[in-house]
Amino acid sequence: MGYRVAVVGATGAVGREIIKTLAEREFPVREIIALASGRSVGQQISFGEDTVLTVKALDAFDFKGTDIALFSPGAAVSAVHAPRAAAAGCVVIDNTSQFRMEPGVPLVVPEVNPQALRAFARRNIIANPNCSTIQMVLALKPLHDIARVKRVVVSTYQSVSGAGKEAMDELWSQTRAMFVNEMPPPEQFPKQIAFNCIPQIDVFMDDGATKEEWKMAVETRKILDPDIQVIATCVRVPVFIGHAEAVHVEFEGQITEAEARAAWRAMPGVTLLDTREDGGYTTPAESAGEDSVYVSRLRRDRTVPHGLAFWCVADNLRKGAALNAVQIAEALDREELLKRPA
């Protein structure tokens, strides 16, 4: 028998991708329930080829008897309903920022720190990392195993889908408006996003960093190594799907380019596509719809004793969100950390 699974925030971009990914990967589902806010109740979402889900109200849903709930409704909603689900005996996999840095809540990328999953029973909640963190730590992990990462300087180029469907709609409407000279004022972003780049994702903190930049630093340390230092500059770019990162890494010891290439080739979830010729790299557009984190533009950083630089891209809705959440559920099942219904 399969599990009774709830998807919270089912009508959002990530929620829909979670439902799609569960079907594509044939996760053992006995019953799946789509949950969202009251304004979405009654909408229909396809699950696989033959099943149509009718969205139910989250506020009125009783999680008792539900085995797994994959949350992606926004942090404020998760703050209220994830503990309610966990208290009912449901294992929560939360894709928001609400629980990531809380003690007793594992922050997991299954290919990187699967051992952390065993701590989930303390709270019955597992946190999915930030999308930009996921792809970076996946690329860093095999290198860290060779020479230990000391410091990371990263600039991100993040698509608008990371801010939700309304943000994607704003990029589309502004792009269209540009050609008729009727640019509407920005609503989802602090400045115009069409044909522009915005060096702000999330709110500013006291030290001048944005919260997105802070997330990349603290989450990397929680997932990979508490001694790693990270400085990030996170930029929103006019791309619909796919995040890119320019990553400069300083290591404690020697690591060669050949060693890095071999490590990436052996790393699950990473694809090395790097030839030193025109077009010999992967772009965000090419990552859309793909499960892998793509690495290219590898070269030595000669400004530090032991340094490498590289470029990585990934579909932020898949590996950066939905796929990673589903892989967490798969790992729980595979490691028999969940009680399968009889």
Side-chain angles (χ1 to χ4, degrees):
M1 295 290 290
Y3 298 102
R4 187 173 191 244
V5 178
V7 178
V8 180
T11 57
V14 174
R16 290 178 183 273
E17 196 69 30
I18 287 173
I19 291 171
K20 178 183 175 183
T21 304
L22 286 166
E24 287 177 348
R25 295 177 69 89
E26 299 181 342
F27 185 77
V29 171
R30 179 178 84 254
E31 179 186 1
I32 184 165
I33 305 104
L35 301 173
S37 65
R39 66 179 180 273
S40 298
V41 170
Q43 289 188 29
Q44 294 188 323
I45 301 173
S46 295
F47 175 65
E49 295 183 0
D50 304 319
T51 303
V52 176
L53 308 176
T54 300
V55 175
K56 298 180 180 180
L58 171 61
D59 289 349
F61 185 72
D62 184 356
F63 284 94
K64 187 176 181 180
T66 304
D67 303 300
I68 306 169
L70 297 101
F71 271 65
S72 188
V77 178
S78 282
V80 174
H81 293 284
R84 184 169 70 83
C90 176
V91 177
V92 172
I93 301 170
D94 184 59
N95 197 62
T96 77
S97 61
Q98 181 62 36
F99 302 100
R100 290 174 185 159
M101 297 311 298
E102 288 196 9
V105 175
L107 184 65
V108 178
V109 179
E111 301 94 332
V112 176
N113 63 332
Q115 70 283 354
L117 282 174
R118 296 189 174 273
F120 85 91
R122 299 176 195 171
R123 298 274 301 273
N124 241 21
I125 298 174
I126 301 164
N128 212 41
N130 187 35
C131 48
S132 51
T133 303
I134 288 174
Q135 70 185 73
M136 187 173 77
V137 298
L138 199 56
L140 289 176
K141 167 64 174 172
L143 310 185
H144 186 62
D145 289 344
I146 295 171
R148 294 188 65 82
V149 173
K150 179 179 179 182
R151 181 172 182 258
V152 178
V153 180
V154 56
S155 296
T156 72
Y157 308 81
Q158 296 179 226
S159 66
V160 295
S161 57
K165 181 181 181 302
E166 292 81 5
M168 297 174 75
D169 291 342
E170 181 154 299
L171 172 58
W172 169 249
S173 64
Q174 286 186 359
T175 301
R176 184 174 54 187
M178 181 71 77
F179 293 100
V180 294
N181 199 29
E182 294 180 356
M183 181 61 65
E187 296 180 1
Q188 301 299 317
F189 298 106
K191 295 196 176 188
Q192 173 188 318
I193 184 60
F195 302 94
N196 200 13
C197 297
I198 302 173
Q200 176 191 350
I201 300 178
D202 213 323
V203 298
F204 278 96
M205 305 181 73
D206 290 343
D207 65 353
T210 65
K211 197 168 184 182
E212 185 83 356
E213 294 158 356
W214 173 83
K215 290 174 191 173
M216 290 196 73
V218 296
E219 290 179 19
T220 297
R221 288 195 284 272
K222 183 171 180 176
I223 296 166
L224 200 55
D225 189 321
D227 294 329
I228 295 175
Q229 298 300 306
V230 179
I231 177 71
T233 300
C234 295
V235 182
R236 191 72 74 187
V237 296
V239 171
F240 283 107
I241 295 174
H243 287 357
E245 298 174 352
V247 187
H248 295 254
V249 191
E250 181 181 359
F251 298 89
E252 291 184 1
Q254 179 64 37
I255 180 172
T256 67
E257 293 176 45
E259 288 174 324
R261 291 177 186 277
W264 280 327
R265 290 191 184 102
M267 181 66 181
V270 173
T271 299
L272 176 65
L273 288 175
D274 185 18
T275 57
R276 292 175 177 176
E277 59 187 6
D278 292 351
Y281 42 81
T282 309
T283 63
E286 294 161 306
S287 74
E290 300 294 326
D291 290 346
S292 195
V293 171
Y294 292 89
V295 180
S296 51
R297 293 295 323 278
L298 174 66
R299 59 210 184 275
R300 179 155 297 286
D301 179 355
R302 301 188 184 280
T303 66
V304 293
H306 307 296
L308 292 176
F310 62 89
W311 170 261
C312 72
V313 299
D315 183 329
N316 54 292
L317 297 181
R318 288 189 69 84
K319 185 53 185 173
L323 174 62
N324 198 74
V326 173
Q327 286 177 312
I328 289 172
E330 291 173 341
L332 291 171
D333 179 55
R334 185 172 57 251
E335 298 299 320
E336 299 182 345
L337 297 175
L338 294 174
K339 184 179 179 182
R340 269 236 194 180

